[in-house]
């Protein structure tokens, strides 16, 4: 049955909390509250009734943000998650960038998340390049180091509060779609079941069952193998910097990042130790890599989690097939360099949620064009992230003297040229991402009615006009006129008008 239990905050990435749910999760055996068992069959000329407006497959950060947005807009949302209730994702993600914090601010969650981690303003790469994140033109000019499960905890709580139905221990085995909706074939604790939705979104990770059911390829390759990862305590504190360093020979690299609670995330790679993901890894191996790359193992001890994994660079050619969409790692995966994976997925969700909302509420003048806009805007971003994160890894893996000299020269030039450094920080943080000259990110503007991102918490468009101006909404806007929030400039000298989408980007007037 559906559950409203709280998953808890695990003390390690794959721990199950001690609190046991009062009811068994999974597919409900009871009739849907939206239909009666005695309802007569639907005539052939009418659409097949749906059990839910949107089925989200996967309850990681991307799926949770999307589900919460849709339910907050008054839509019926069901999330199918193959994990049992209360079990967190393996938390390879550890950083939340400025643009993602702005999106969380627009949902009233940013300040609470910041309290769980450590803000870092100095991003140091290869001992040569230092990027000063405090220069970012944002309310959040830093990288927040916090485990992925903290992000999930807040987004899960929000999703529950908006009425999302969760079906845990439930996997998708197939789907079919027609002009009116999608039929999903699921298997849960109570056995096989089908669920009818108006739209379906796959946020189910690199091995996406949704992507497989659509028959979409996932071209790419492994960019780096046998990465070791550990959460440890240190005898020597390296400071508050996120430090990425490579060995002089180029045969190893590592980074260290503080969570702020006495624990540190350490990740490393050794060219001479390339083994399968299931090869056991211990703290001695992690320490040895750190000594090669950093010159010191910093007295690592008391590891609470150690893992080995590989990293792929892959991207689906399409994020949409009819009424089915892909987002997050189901659509794109790349190296952990730059900490952009989870952040890119959350931006996917913020872009898609308002589009589905406008279409399902009947407010989009051209529904197909609006939904196609998701692919048009987000697919190029995914491609850029693949390139930028891959470039960082390849620089770290530079092996020959010529390659290492070129890397050091590029780092010095990038650090010494402020516009170049600003572009690099804008790309990594998400602040610099735009969808075109007329569709750009809007900072947290000061308005007479308050901060812009506080107004965006309603999940609606915001129309900003000069004081004394009668607001008018273009007929092409994908929103009902009575749902638009009208605001005025705090600065009376501004005479322009802006229409801001719910994801914080301008839309042409």
């Amino acid at each position: 049955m559906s559950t409203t239990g709280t998953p808890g905050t695990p003390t390690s990435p794959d721990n199950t909390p001690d609190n046991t749910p009062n009811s068994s999760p999974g597919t409900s055996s009871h009739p849907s509250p939206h239909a009666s068992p005695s309802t007569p069959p639907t005539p052939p000329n009418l659409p097949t009734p749906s059990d839910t407006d949107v089925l989200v497959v996967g309850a990681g950060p991307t799926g949770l943000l999307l589900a919460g947005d849709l339910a907050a807009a008054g839509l019926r949302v069901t999330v199918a998650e193959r994990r049992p209730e209360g079990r967190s994702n393996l938390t390879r993600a550890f950083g939340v960038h400025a643009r993602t914090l702005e999106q969380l601010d627009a949902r009233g969650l940013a300040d609470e998340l910041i309290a769980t981690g450590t803000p870092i303003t100095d991003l140091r790469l290869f001992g040569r390049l230092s990027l000063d994140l405090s220069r970012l033109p944002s309310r959040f000019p830093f990288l927040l180091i916090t485990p992925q499960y903290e992000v999930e905890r807040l987004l899960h709580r929000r999703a529950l509060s908006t009425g999302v139905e969760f079906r845990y221990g439930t996997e998708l085995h197939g789907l079919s779609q027609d002009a009116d909706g999608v039929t999903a074939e699921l298997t849960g604790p109570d056995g096989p079941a089908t669920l009818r939705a108006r739209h379906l979104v796959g946020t189910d990770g690199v091995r996406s069952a949704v992507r497989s059911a659509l028959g979409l390829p996932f071209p790419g390759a492994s960019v780096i193998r046998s990465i070791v990862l550990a959460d440890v305590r240190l005898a020597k504190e390296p400071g508050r910097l996120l430090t990425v360093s490579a060995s002089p020979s180029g045969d190893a690299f590592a980074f260290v990042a503080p969570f702020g609670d006495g624990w540190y995330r350490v990740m490393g790679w050794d060219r001479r130790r390339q083994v399968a993901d299931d090869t056991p890894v211990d703290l001695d191996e992690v320490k040895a890599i750190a000594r090669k790359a950093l010159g010191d193992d910093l007295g690592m001890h008391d590891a609470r989690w150690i893992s080995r994994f590989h990293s792929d660079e892959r991207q689906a050619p399409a994020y949409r097939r009819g009424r089915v969409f892909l987002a997050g790692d189901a659509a794109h995966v790349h190296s952990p360099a730059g900490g952009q994976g989870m952040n890119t997925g959350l931006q996917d969700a913020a872009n898609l949620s308002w589009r589905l909302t406008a279409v399902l509420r009947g407010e989009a003048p051209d529904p197909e064009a609006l939904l196609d806009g998701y692919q048009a805007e987000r697919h190029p971003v995914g491609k850029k992230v693949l390139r930028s994160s891959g470039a960082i890894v390849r620089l770290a893996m530079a092996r020959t003297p010529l390659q290492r000299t070129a890397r050091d020269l590029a780092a010095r030039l990038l650090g010494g040229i402020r516009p170049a450094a600003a572009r690099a920080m804008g790309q990594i943080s998400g602040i610099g991402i735009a969808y075109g000259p007329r569709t750009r990110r809007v900072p947290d503007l000061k308005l007479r009615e308050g901060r812009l991102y506080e107004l965006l918490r309603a999940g609606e468009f915001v129309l900003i006009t000069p004081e004394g101006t009668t607001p008018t909404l273009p007929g092409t806007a994908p929103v009902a006129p009575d749902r638009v929030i009208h605001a005025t400039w705090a600065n009376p000298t501004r005479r322009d008008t802006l229409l801001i989408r719910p994801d914080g980007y301008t839309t042409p007037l």
Side-chain angles (χ1 to χ4, degrees), residues 62 319 327-328 331-332 343-353 374 378:
T62 300
Y319 289 5
H332 48 77
N343 292 272
T344 304
L346 290 169
Q347 297 298 323
D348 290 344
N351 188 290
L352 180 58
S353 65
Y374 171 64
R378 294 305 299 171

Side-chain angles (χ1 to χ4, degrees), residues 320 322 325 355 366-377:
R320 180 192 181 198
F325 301 82
R355 297 175 186 276
D366 189 342
E368 289 303 306
L370 190 67
L371 294 178
D372 283 343
Y374 171 64
Q375 162 86 12
E377 292 186 352

Side-chain angles (χ1 to χ4, degrees), residues 101 104-105 108-116 139-140 451 457:
L101 287 169
L104 294 174
D105 188 24
L109 300 174
D111 291 338
E112 187 174 355
L113 183 66
I114 290 169
T116 70
R139 184 169 178 253
F140 309 103
R451 294 193 297 113
R457 292 175 185 175

Side-chain angles (χ1 to χ4, degrees), residues 58-73:
T62 300
L64 291 172
L65 188 142
L66 177 71
D69 282 3
L70 297 172

Side-chain angles (χ1 to χ4, degrees), residues 137-150:
S138 170
R139 184 169 178 253
F140 309 103
F142 50 80
L143 170 66
L144 178 70
I145 305 299
T146 192
Q148 176 177 323
Y149 59 74
E150 293 287 3

Side-chain angles (χ1 to χ4, degrees), residues 53-54 65-77 158-159 161-164 352-363 457-460 483 502:
D53 290 320
V54 181
L65 188 142
L66 177 71
D69 282 3
L70 297 172
L75 301 172
R76 297 172 300 158
V77 183
R158 173 176 180 256
S161 71
T162 56
V164 173
L352 180 58
S353 65
W354 70 266
R355 297 175 186 276
L356 284 172
T357 295
V359 169
L360 290 170
R361 292 198 308 205
E363 297 171 354
R457 292 175 185 175
E460 305 292 357
R483 291 189 187 272

Side-chain angles (χ1 to χ4, degrees), residues 485-504:
I485 298 171
H486 178 224
T488 53
W489 298 109
N491 181 355
T493 65
R494 287 201 64 162
R495 306 306 298 169
D496 57 323
T497 297
L498 287 180
L499 181 59
I500 315 298
R501 306 185 327 194
D503 62 350

